Amino acid sequence: MVEIEIDGKKVEVPAGSMVMDAANKLGTYIPHFCYHKKLSIAANCRMCLVEVEKAPKPLPACATPVSAGMIVRSASDKAVQAQKSVMEFLLINHPLDCPICDQGGECQLQDLAVGYGKSESRYEEDKRVVVPKDAGPLVSMQEMARCIQCTRCVRFGQEVAGVMELGMIGRGEHSEITSFVGQTVNSEMSGNMIDLCPVGALTSKPFRYSARSWELSRRKSVSPHDGLGANLIVQVKGGKVKRVLPLENDAVNECWISDKDRFSYEGLEAADRLTQPMLKQGGEWKEVDWQTALEYVAHGLKNIRHEHGENALATLATPHSTLEELHLLQKLTRAMGSTSVDTRLRQSDFSLQGVTPWLGMSINDFGQLDRAFVIGSFLRKDHPLLATRLRAAVKGGAKLSVLHATDDDLLMNVSSKVIAAPSEWLSSLSQIVAAVAAAKSVAAPAGFDGIEASDAAKAVAASLVSGERKGIFLGNAAVQHPQAGALHAAAQWLAEQTGATLGYLTEAANTVGAYIVNANGATAPAFTEAKQAYVLLNVEPELDAHNPQAAIAALNKAEMVVVMSAFKHGMDYADVLLPVSPFSETSGTFVNCEGRAQSFNGTVKPLLETRPAWKVLRVLGNILGLSGFDYDTSEAIRDEVLGAGNFDVAAKLNNKAAQAAVASTSVSTGVERIADVPIYFADAVVRRAESLQKMADAAAPKAHLSSALAQQLGVVAGDTVKVTQGNGSAVLVATVDAKLPANAVRVAAAHRSTAALGSMFGAITVEKAGEVK
């Protein structure tokens, strides 16, 4: 530790720290623009000049290392004069458009100009003009003349997002930040550049000119979109969500959020918002009041139970639903005599028992791993914020290994990888098990004798055997895999033998919470066994189910389908539509991937006749005459599940299964499908966010063919192909991916254009569309 003095106060900081770090520890504010605690040092704005005793001139606090006995003055005449001179320099070319600038009221330059700027300029020359750029649908670069070249946006792209989408060209007053020629900003983390910009150069295109910062109310919330549970500040005007920003929490999302978290609020105002209960009568939809709708549902459910038995009811929800909603849903289902309640809509293998899947460690520990082995994950798109943590770890020397069916660019160095068709994942994992057993000189599990490990499997094994802090993680695709239980068992053996922690990169905000409230009671995949009555909470089956064909077939045969949703959908098969609140209009709790329970309140009032789902389920339980449905608040439901206090759920989390590892030597033969869930198709709100749907990641799915398969079919990129699964097909534009396994076709799920297809994994037929008779 090194002791220095700043403005008469002494402070100790680690050797190698900068003066700015010492000032931050003391709580002494030094004006700055280019410095940011999460980014590398640039020292190019010079606003943080301070006087250091014995130094001949002021020095930048952000780039001056501390030394023992150093005496720093941040507010001396010499320091302040230097800071004022820098401010005058910065304002030479800055346009005088504060009254129309979206950054007005929250602009660092505006704030500091009050204390360090002059009331008039000595310069009479024309201000420079910078040509506007098109950075895509999310980030506006229309007023780049405001830019002060702090390069925060450039450094963020390189260091956090992992891709350099912006850079600086020119010299002197001709310097400007720009994107690469003809390219827009497409990173899944790009919106953070808006927050980082200290002036109004980069602004939010969806928010542009819609409100002033001082008109907005600020309310805390939690993102429902992925397993991290990013902390949010939701900004509201006139009862509508106008903007979403990150709420800093170093233990969860640091000071970042993904674009999915930031811009999904546009979906809350979608044209197909459901705002009034509706019944289908005589084939026509009619709006009714809540009492009529709920009595109709209760009467129908009672009749079906009477005529077809208790097990004729199935209730399904997405894991984006709150803990309180899922608790009441499972409570209602079981009170009606059924155990068919589930949130594992995209899961196809239910053999794994006794597991409550979670990350296995804290999010902070995840970012400090030495070795990580990720199995079956579209990491960047499924878990953008966890990917940034892992990217930082890899930059710090960690080694990442991957087993997957696609070789996507993770924007970080991958030290070893096995790319194989999904049907060969267990075989590949078996080879890694054999390689670890050989490397550790331990006995492999029964049935693994004689398995020959490939060089790629040996490389993964060598990585796992080395290092101190290690983790093996199953991603969304591994959970959705037809052999998910066997993959878990093999991964568990590897973790036990290598000293690694086994964990899951969970799909949604409340995937863990669904297990905690026992909302996963089914023993087979959703819609496998046709039921007479379905209650769907936030579910769009044709987009959220593992097999959309089976889902629609089952729903069409049912006597009653109740859709509880914030949006109008399912009009063909549903009998009742009940408008329930999205996350912004209800209070509730999400339990994130590390088992952290995070409660939040509604940020705006429910729209028109929309009601929070927990209230709807409570009233429905009362109408059905069920006991235990007397709650006044969502907090009462939460406390019933978690207990009052600090909501410690650690005892309820468990990644260890009794299932023994099973060897496989299977080799893929026929053509098989790989299905990802694109980042902007993942849930109902995101699918309706207008700006996100203009992004490259929201483009209509293509049929990605391996080079070998494309050559066999005579297909080149841009051709049209027909893909067929079961009794459904889709005509898609083809693209050729040289990194895919030879017999694999990548076709995204969760999109209207591919909803007619079957299972997310399994056999698929591809033919050139021109040859279809």
Side-chain angles (χ1 to χ4, degrees):
M1 299 292 284
V2 176
E3 184 180 82
I4 71 167
E5 182 183 304
I6 300 179
D7 295 340
K9 299 176 183 177
K10 293 188 177 181
V11 61
E12 285 190 348
V13 291
S17 298
M18 301 297 156
V19 171
M20 186 71 84
D21 300 324
N24 288 340
K25 187 173 181 180
L26 272 177
T28 299
Y29 178 74
I30 297 175
H32 60 273
F33 293 113
C34 68
Y35 169 81
H36 190 278
K37 62 183 179 181
K38 296 291 184 181
L39 302 177
S40 64
I41 295 167
N44 53 6
C45 80
R46 317 308 281 185
M47 191 65 211
C48 65
L49 291 175
V50 293
E51 181 183 358
V52 178
E53 194 169 272
K54 298 182 181 179
K57 59 183 180 180
L59 300 176
C62 68
T64 302
V66 297
S67 59
M70 177 183 279
I71 298 175
V72 178
R73 300 181 183 92
S74 69
S76 67
D77 290 343
K78 187 175 181 180
V80 171
Q81 185 55 48
Q83 292 158 2
K84 286 185 175 181
S85 297
V86 170
M87 176 59 69
E88 184 177 18
F89 178 76
L90 290 174
L91 292 177
I92 290 173
N93 277 307
H94 198 78
L96 299 174
D97 57 2
C98 294
I100 63 161
C101 178
D102 259 353
Q103 196 84 349
E106 50 190 13
C107 172
Q108 278 182 261
L109 184 66
Q110 197 176 51
D111 293 341
L112 292 178
V114 174
Y116 299 92
K118 293 184 176 182
S119 59
E120 59 184 25
S121 175
R122 291 185 286 172
Y123 295 87
E124 296 178 356
E125 293 79 10
D126 291 339
K127 291 180 181 287
R128 72 171 188 159
V129 175
V130 180
V131 177
K133 285 91 176 171
D134 180 13
L138 303 182
V139 181
S140 173
M141 297 180 72
Q142 292 299 300
E143 288 91 11
M144 291 305 291
R146 299 170 181 162
C147 178
I148 60 171
Q149 288 82 48
C150 71
T151 68
R152 281 184 177 184
C153 55
V154 178
R155 285 175 284 146
F156 170 81
Q158 290 176 296
E159 298 164 16
V160 181
V163 54
M164 186 176 176
E165 294 184 289
L166 298 180
M168 183 182 287
I169 59 172
R171 294 177 67 83
E173 73 168 4
H174 302 294
S175 299
E176 58 181 274
I177 300 291
T178 186
S179 58
F180 287 91
V181 178
Q183 295 188 21
T184 55
V185 174
N186 290 305
S187 162
E188 60 277 2
M189 299 286 289
S190 65
N192 292 289
M193 295 178 185
I194 299 166
D195 297 336
L196 287 171
C197 185
V199 293
L202 302 180
T203 55
S204 168
K205 193 170 279 189
F207 174 71
R208 190 173 162 83
Y209 297 145
S210 64
R212 304 312 304 253
S213 63
W214 54 85
E215 298 175 318
L216 300 170
S217 301
R218 291 160 174 80
R219 290 149 194 179
K220 297 178 182 180
S221 190
V222 178
S223 170
H225 300 304
D226 62 39
L228 196 86
N231 290 198
L232 309 176
I233 296 175
V234 178
Q235 299 189 332
V236 176
K237 178 187 175 185
K240 293 184 178 181
V241 176
K242 288 292 185 181
R243 187 165 60 166
V244 173
L245 300 175
L247 174 62
E248 185 171 350
N249 184 341
D250 267 342
V252 181
N253 55 299
E254 300 177 281
C255 55
W256 318 121
I257 53 174
S258 68
D259 290 351
K260 181 165 62 169
D261 299 330
R262 183 183 300 271
F263 296 106
S264 67
Y265 70 87
E266 286 188 298
L268 303 173
E269 299 291 327
D272 64 344
R273 267 300 297 264
L274 179 63
T275 58
Q276 184 77 29
M278 300 180 74
L279 295 181
K280 186 189 286 183
Q281 297 177 334
E284 293 186 4
W285 285 98
K286 296 182 180 179
E287 293 185 348
V288 296
D289 59 61
W290 271 105
Q291 189 69 20
T292 302
L294 291 177
E295 286 181 356
Y296 180 89
V297 171
H299 182 72
L301 294 179
K302 285 179 179 178
N303 280 351
I304 289 171
R305 181 175 63 174
H306 178 72
E307 294 176 11
H308 301 283
E310 294 177 335
N311 204 36
L313 168 66
T315 60
L316 298 167
T318 67
H320 305 279
S321 308
T322 68
L323 191 81
E324 293 80 0
E325 293 164 359
L326 295 179
H327 178 58
L328 292 194
L329 184 68
Q330 68 83 22
K331 200 171 182 180
L332 184 145
T333 307
R334 289 185 166 87
M336 293 291 289
S338 174
T339 58
S340 294
V341 54
D342 225 284
T343 64
R344 298 167 293 177
L345 304 176
R346 294 193 175 109
Q347 195 164 321
S348 59
D349 176 20
F350 281 52
S351 63
L352 197 64
Q353 298 297 321
V355 168
T356 303
W358 69 297
L359 189 61
M361 61 184 68
S362 72
I363 293 168
N364 275 335
D365 288 344
F366 179 82
Q368 295 170 2
L369 292 170
D370 295 328
R371 301 288 184 270
F373 179 30
V374 178
I375 302 167
S377 176
F378 298 92
L379 187 62
R380 274 180 60 199
K381 307 303 180 181
D382 289 347
H383 312 284
L385 287 164
L386 284 175
T388 65
R389 293 268 189 171
L390 197 54
R391 187 173 297 117
V394 169
K395 287 179 69 175
K399 302 294 184 184
L400 171 63
S401 302
V402 169
L403 167 59
H404 201 29
T406 65
D407 193 10
D408 294 346
D409 184 3
L410 300 180
L411 303 178
M412 65 185 96
N413 183 49
V414 179
S415 63
S416 52
K417 56 190 169 188
V418 178
I419 306 301
S423 63
E424 296 179 353
W425 285 6
L426 185 55
S427 175
S428 299
L429 212 49
S430 297
Q431 293 179 33
I432 297 170
V433 166
V436 166
K440 299 275 291 183
S441 300
V442 297
F448 284 78
D449 299 329
I451 289 181
E452 188 68 33
S454 66
D455 289 342
K458 290 177 182 176
V460 174
S463 178
L464 285 174
V465 169
S466 63
E468 295 293 327
R469 301 182 298 273
K470 295 176 275 192
I472 299 175
F473 303 97
L474 295 157
N476 293 357
V479 173
Q480 296 153 3
H481 195 278
Q483 295 174 302
L487 293 176
H488 174 105
Q492 182 174 307
W493 187 90
L494 286 172
E496 290 169 350
Q497 296 302 316
T498 60
T501 300
L502 179 64
Y504 278 81
L505 307 177
T506 57
E507 179 184 15
N510 209 30
T511 298
V512 177
Y515 282 87
I516 288 173
V517 299
N518 196 22
N520 293 325
T523 56
F527 305 109
T528 301
E529 178 187 353
K531 303 287 186 177
Q532 293 302 315
Y534 286 94
V535 176
L536 307 178
L537 175 59
N538 299 321
V539 177
E540 295 181 276
E542 61 274 28
L543 304 177
D544 294 328
H546 187 271
N547 188 330
Q549 287 178 8
I552 299 304
L555 292 167
N556 284 332
K557 291 177 183 176
E559 287 187 22
M560 172 177 271
V561 177
V562 180
V563 171
M564 298 175 64
S565 175
F567 307 99
K568 290 180 184 176
H569 61 85
M571 311 291 274
D572 295 335
Y573 52 76
D575 300 287
V576 187
L577 300 181
L578 301 178
V580 297
S581 300
F583 80 102
S584 59
E585 299 171 15
T586 184
S587 57
T589 305
F590 294 136
V591 182
N592 73 356
C593 59
E594 67 174 353
R596 180 187 296 262
Q598 300 184 107
S599 294
F600 57 93
N601 293 315
T603 54
V604 293
K605 292 180 179 179
L607 187 61
L608 299 179
E609 288 300 306
T610 303
R611 296 290 181 269
W614 70 266
K615 289 187 177 181
V616 175
L617 291 166
R618 178 197 65 189
V619 175
L620 183 57
N622 291 333
I623 295 174
L624 285 166
L626 307 177
S627 61
F629 281 80
D630 300 318
Y631 304 98
D632 294 325
T633 63
S634 64
E635 289 79 8
I637 307 171
R638 177 197 64 196
D639 292 347
E640 180 175 282
V641 177
L642 301 179
N646 62 357
F647 314 131
D648 184 11
V649 301
K652 302 178 182 180
L653 306 176
N654 172 41
N655 283 331
K656 188 168 185 178
Q659 190 167 327
V662 178
S664 172
T665 56
S666 64
V667 178
S668 179
T669 52
V671 178
E672 55 185 283
R673 180 183 180 186
I674 306 161
D676 59 315
V677 178
I679 185 171
Y680 302 135
F681 304 159
D683 62 73
V685 176
V686 170
R687 290 176 198 132
R688 292 166 172 84
E690 183 180 354
S691 297
L692 292 178
Q693 293 307 310
K694 296 176 183 175
M695 293 292 287
D697 281 326
K702 294 183 178 181
H704 297 257
L705 311 181
S706 67
S707 300
L709 185 58
Q711 187 174 4
Q712 178 186 330
L713 296 172
V715 171
V716 297
D719 284 353
T720 304
V721 296
K722 180 181 180 183
V723 293
T724 305
Q725 263 189 310
N727 57 7
S729 62
V731 177
L732 305 171
V733 175
T735 186
V736 179
D737 185 346
K739 296 181 178 180
L740 282 176
N743 57 338
V745 181
R746 178 174 175 176
V747 180
H751 192 271
R752 302 283 173 191
S753 64
T754 58
L757 300 177
S759 175
M760 295 175 69
F761 294 88
I764 192 169
T765 303
V766 185
E767 52 191 329
K768 206 168 181 178
E771 299 173 357
V772 179
K773 303 297 183 185

